[in-house]
Amino acid sequence: MMDIGWEGLLENERRRDGAALEDDYDTLARQLARRGIDIAAIQARASALAVAVPSWGVATGGTRFARFPGPGEPRNIFEKLDDCAVIRRLVTITPEVSLHIPWDEPDSPAALRAYATDRRLGFGPINSNTFEDQPGQAQSYKFGSLSHTDAAVREQAVAHNRHCIDIGVALGARAHSVWIGDGGNFPGQLHFRRALERYLDSLRLIYAALPPAWRLFIEHKLYEPAFYSTVLNDWGVSYYCARETGDRAFSLVDFGHHAPNVNIEMVVARLIQFGKLGGFHFNDSQYGDDDLDAGSLKPFQLFLVFNELVDAADEGLPGFDPAYMLDQSHNVTDPIESLMTSAVEVHRAYVQACLVDRTALAGYQARNDALMALATLKQAFTTDVTPILAKARVDAGGAIDPVAVYRASGYRQQVALGRPADVRRGGGIV
Ligand code: LRH
Ligand code: MN
């Protein structure tokens, strides 16, 4: 890894800001103690959270209109891992990278695994890609993939997913994640029931290739790239398909994949209750699948989702182990800064949710005291847990202020010297 002298930068920061952090921490500890909360217990939970970083998130993203790459764009999976290693070094709660195949297809999985290990990185869920055609591909995915009317296209898509699982096994991953863009743009274009049946048949073939102890995540999405009907369009269909496919098939909730105003925390509660919540793609959105930075627009929604997750964890629901991942497109910011900031916002929502007085809440719910029930949640949400987040990072060798240390490091300017400018201007998310 490029030696930017991280240890020196972090030491300087600890020397300059460590005392202030301790002071803020002690103040928060006293505040929480007055609420009967032991900060050490919360600290232990804060230090245990892990959020995977999307490999495709460290390059500048774009829209169908344009993409404006920044300096030092990573050109291959190795440079993407270098950038993910910086994020892990400074925010510490991102030990795994979620790959996308074939964008990150390794010539040698063993070499890639060793490269990652050297950078204290592992691999999260492997994402397949049957939503675009690769050069020389026999069958086109123009009219779908796992649900395509043509068996040859479905077989090719199933084979691709099996190939992704094989790569994942070699990399030490433990889950496979499937999102398809299959759908139609015109009424009558698809037979809704038969298309879903074909999708389910293909999914069962992928599931049959799943190694023991692996999980399969299926990701629903309301629309895009299809704009009239989408085969796996909402959580209900996703739940049905996960249940029909097998015990180790689960639904993955991408925050941006719902109609405006959908109560996502209630969708999460349903999937938890039905035992089919597999994980998340955290991001934020104002309108559609905007893939904006998690917690940048709706931090209260993110908190309310974690409120459901902590409630379930506190109940000790069997097998409850949701996988946390970011899935964002960074069109106007330095992707490393956005991913670090988003990881911190996910961390913040989780720790705030750990502060909810669940006994009081249950009492207010039982007595239908709506106002005090909301106040109980708001007390946790309005608690500034920044000192707990910073201490978790420092205890793990990271930064008090990751973005400040990153900017002080000049890492982006350094890598830009070694990575020729990315001249690709065309549209597309990556
Ligand atoms: C689809 C999606 C999916 C990924 C892609 C990069 O919108 O959320 O998770 O495969 O983005
Ligand atoms: Mn996603």
Side-chain angles (χ1 to χ4, degrees):
M1 185 161 84
M2 181 179 297
D3 183 23
I4 291 278
W6 294 111
E7 199 38 53
L9 287 164
L10 292 165
E11 186 47 44
N12 292 347
E13 187 200 37
R14 282 193 287 271
R15 209 174 298 118
R16 188 187 55 243
D17 305 330
L21 172 58
E22 284 307 318
D23 184 42
D24 292 346
Y25 192 84
D26 296 343
T27 304
L28 179 58
R30 286 192 299 278
Q31 180 192 358
L32 294 180
R34 285 196 298 274
R35 282 153 53 179
I37 297 172
D38 169 17
I39 198 168
I42 303 296
Q43 196 63 46
R45 297 184 83 168
S47 295
L49 187 81
V51 183
V53 166
S55 62
W56 60 93
V58 287
T60 296
T63 70
R64 58 183 168 169
F65 299 103
R67 176 175 169 272
F68 303 94
E73 291 286 331
R75 297 162 294 172
N76 54 54
I77 184 55
F78 296 97
E79 292 180 350
K80 289 178 181 178
L81 290 182
D82 289 340
D83 294 356
C84 291
V86 170
I87 296 168
R88 188 219 188 323
R89 187 81 176 73
L90 298 178
V91 297
T92 75
I93 63 166
T94 57
E96 291 188 336
V97 179
S98 192
L99 297 187
H100 220 298
I101 306 294
W103 296 337
D104 304 319
E105 178 93 29
D107 300 333
S108 156
L112 185 63
R113 188 171 184 170
Y115 194 91
T117 305
D118 287 351
R119 287 154 183 74
R120 301 174 58 230
L121 291 170
F123 293 100
I126 305 293
N127 294 268
S128 60
N129 175 343
T130 59
F131 50 84
E132 59 185 9
D133 291 345
Q134 305 305 322
Q137 190 175 295
Q139 311 290 339
S140 172
Y141 295 133
K142 178 174 182 177
F143 294 106
S145 61
L146 297 177
S147 75
H148 199 288
T149 53
D150 181 338
V153 178
R154 299 196 302 274
E155 280 157 22
Q156 176 184 275
V158 168
H160 166 70
N161 278 276
R162 289 181 163 178
H163 170 64
C164 293
I165 292 171
D166 294 343
I167 292 173
V169 169
L171 293 174
R174 300 173 313 288
H176 181 56
S177 194
V178 181
W179 170 71
I180 59 168
D182 295 24
N185 280 358
F186 296 89
Q189 180 181 345
L190 288 182
H191 188 288
F192 296 146
R193 293 181 286 118
R194 295 202 190 108
L196 187 63
E197 275 312 318
R198 292 191 295 266
Y199 167 76
L200 260 175
D201 290 344
S202 299
L203 204 60
R204 291 187 183 108
L205 294 171
I206 295 169
Y207 186 79
L210 212 60
W214 266 53
R215 295 188 291 175
L216 176 64
F217 299 149
I218 59 176
E219 183 179 357
H220 58 275
K221 183 173 180 179
L222 181 67
Y223 76 100
E224 189 205 41
F227 293 103
Y228 167 67
S229 69
T230 290
V231 173
L232 200 77
N233 62 311
D234 72 14
W235 76 271
V237 180
S238 177
Y239 162 68
Y240 171 80
C241 292
R243 195 190 63 190
E244 290 297 304
T245 300
D247 295 346
R248 291 179 289 117
F250 298 89
S251 299
L252 182 142
V253 176
D254 183 310
F255 272 47
H257 288 188
H258 303 87
N261 310 326
V262 162
N263 184 328
I264 296 177
E265 56 272 22
M266 195 167 76
V267 168
V268 170
R270 293 281 183 268
L271 289 169
I272 291 170
Q273 187 158 4
F274 302 159
K276 281 297 183 185
L277 177 68
F280 293 89
H281 279 178
F282 295 118
N283 49 56
D284 216 331
S285 52
Q286 184 71 32
Y287 304 103
D289 187 21
D290 308 341
D291 281 340
L292 300 173
D293 293 7
S296 63
L297 279 166
K298 302 176 194 143
F300 190 48
Q301 179 185 62
L302 186 57
F303 162 80
L304 291 172
V305 165
F306 271 100
N307 176 51
E308 295 301 327
L309 296 167
V310 172
D311 184 59
D314 288 0
E315 253 178 59
L317 288 183
F320 181 70
D321 176 25
Y324 300 141
M325 290 158 279
L326 297 170
D327 178 6
Q328 304 174 173
S329 179
H330 310 109
N331 304 352
V332 295
T333 57
D334 181 316
I336 290 177
E337 294 186 356
S338 273
L339 287 165
M340 291 196 296
T341 303
S342 298
V344 170
E345 290 316 304
V346 168
H347 204 190
R348 184 184 310 283
Y350 170 64
V351 172
Q352 288 171 332
C354 292
L355 298 180
V356 171
D357 182 339
R358 297 192 181 281
T359 308
L361 180 61
Y364 294 129
Q365 289 171 337
R367 297 191 297 281
N368 298 302
D369 186 340
L371 188 114
M372 285 313 295
L374 173 62
T376 305
L377 292 182
K378 278 291 184 74
Q379 180 187 47
F381 177 66
T382 57
T383 302
D384 181 1
V385 297
T386 302
I388 291 175
L389 307 179
K391 183 169 173 33
R393 294 190 293 269
V394 168
D395 291 351
I400 296 172
D401 182 339
V403 171
V405 172
Y406 171 72
R407 290 192 173 189
S409 77
Y411 177 83
R412 179 60 65 190
Q413 295 74 11
Q414 283 289 321
V415 290
L417 298 174
R419 298 175 185 177
D422 179 334
V423 294
R424 288 172 304 128
R425 287 285 179 280
I429 61 169
V430 289

